[in-house]
Amino acid sequence: MADRAAKDALFEALASVAKALGNGHRAEIIDVLAQGERSVDDLSDEIGQSVANTSHHLRSLARAGVLTTRRDGTRVFYRLTSERVAELWAAMRDVAAAHVADLDHLARAYLGASDGVEEISRDELAQRLRAGDVIVLDVRPSAEYNAGHVLGARSIPITELRRQVRALPRDADIVAYCRGPYCVYANDAVKQLRKRGFTARRLQDGYPEWQRDGLPVASGQ
């Protein structure tokens, strides 16, 4: 019969990934890094934590094997070890959406009222892009756009939308997207655009889901 202590050690090792992800800030880090690699300073700003706290979370995730690093001069950049990590995060998020009580309420409290924010599916958007009758806006930070984006999308970070909105054709059908279903940037973009008289919707989820679906993507500016 197999040794009980050895089996316990095995399952503890298997559970180490779940333990590493068992923190809201670390989950948010995984959500950001699913868009592409980021520096410690960038991640610190993104999750609203000090560089020291962010580094602590990153070390915990790296020890669990879900992150890897590269150095560029004095800067250290973190990225997901593999696409499987992004798939794991998406699965955890979907299970939580289906089974965690009050998650819908929490999402509404963060994303705001959904009035006027219509969604479009990935398949429909892909068809519209092939037909060339839609303008797609990537409203994530430019670093994430450069790391990878929907083929044909324009980069207008949400912080730049108010300034650049006049350059958009008034008769266009616009679709905005960001990081995923719980990313507020796309909702904010749609609300701003509709307030100014544009026809606008948001992608039902975000870039990582589009990429995993095998739909056309590009990188760089």
Side-chain angles (χ1 to χ4, degrees):
M1 181 177 290
D3 181 77
R4 179 74 247 181
K7 186 175 184 179
D8 287 345
L10 169 63
F11 277 84
E12 280 296 320
L14 293 171
S16 64
V17 172
K19 288 181 179 179
L21 293 175
N23 174 283
H25 293 308
R26 293 175 197 165
E28 188 178 0
I29 286 172
I30 297 296
D31 191 51
V32 174
L33 293 180
Q35 320 297 317
E37 69 174 15
R38 300 291 285 272
S39 70
V40 178
D41 290 339
D42 286 343
L43 287 167
S44 172
D45 290 340
E46 190 65 49
I47 70 171
Q49 294 289 295
S50 68
V51 171
N53 283 345
T54 303
S55 296
H56 170 74
H57 291 310
L58 290 167
R59 286 193 297 271
S60 295
L61 291 166
R63 282 196 299 271
V66 299
L67 298 186
T68 187
T69 65
R70 73 174 180 89
R71 184 176 292 276
D72 184 2
T74 60
R75 303 184 76 193
V76 177
F77 290 84
Y78 283 82
R79 63 182 183 274
L80 302 185
T81 305
S82 70
E83 182 62 24
R84 297 299 301 276
V85 179
E87 293 171 1
L88 173 62
W89 162 239
M92 288 176 57
R93 188 188 64 202
D94 292 346
V95 169
H99 300 293
V100 174
D102 293 331
L103 193 68
D104 285 345
H105 173 74
L106 293 171
R108 285 194 299 271
Y110 171 61
L111 295 172
S114 60
D115 299 346
V117 180
E118 298 179 16
E119 295 184 345
I120 182 173
S121 70
R122 294 189 296 277
D123 288 342
E124 183 181 351
L125 180 56
Q127 293 173 6
R128 296 290 304 276
L129 278 168
R130 286 193 292 269
D133 61 354
V134 66
I135 291 177
V136 180
L137 302 183
D138 185 319
V139 295
R140 300 174 300 163
S142 58
E144 295 177 17
Y145 175 88
N146 293 337
H149 55 267
V150 172
L151 181 65
R154 302 183 186 183
S155 176
I156 303 184
I158 190 64
T159 54
E160 297 290 320
L161 182 60
R162 194 180 303 275
R163 185 173 63 84
Q164 297 191 40
V165 71
R166 294 180 181 177
L168 299 172
R170 282 282 173 181
D171 59 348
D173 190 4
I174 300 174
V175 173
Y177 74 88
C178 54
R179 293 170 177 161
Y182 299 111
C183 178
V184 74
Y185 299 151
N187 281 33
D188 289 349
V190 169
K191 291 175 183 177
Q192 285 189 43
L193 290 164
R194 289 179 63 86
K195 186 176 180 180
R196 288 164 174 75
F198 290 92
T199 300
R201 290 181 286 174
R202 70 159 288 162
L203 182 61
Q204 65 183 24
D205 32 49
Y207 173 71
E209 292 79 12
W210 178 276
Q211 182 186 39
R212 281 197 296 274
D213 213 15
L215 294 166
V217 300
S219 60
Q221 298 180 352

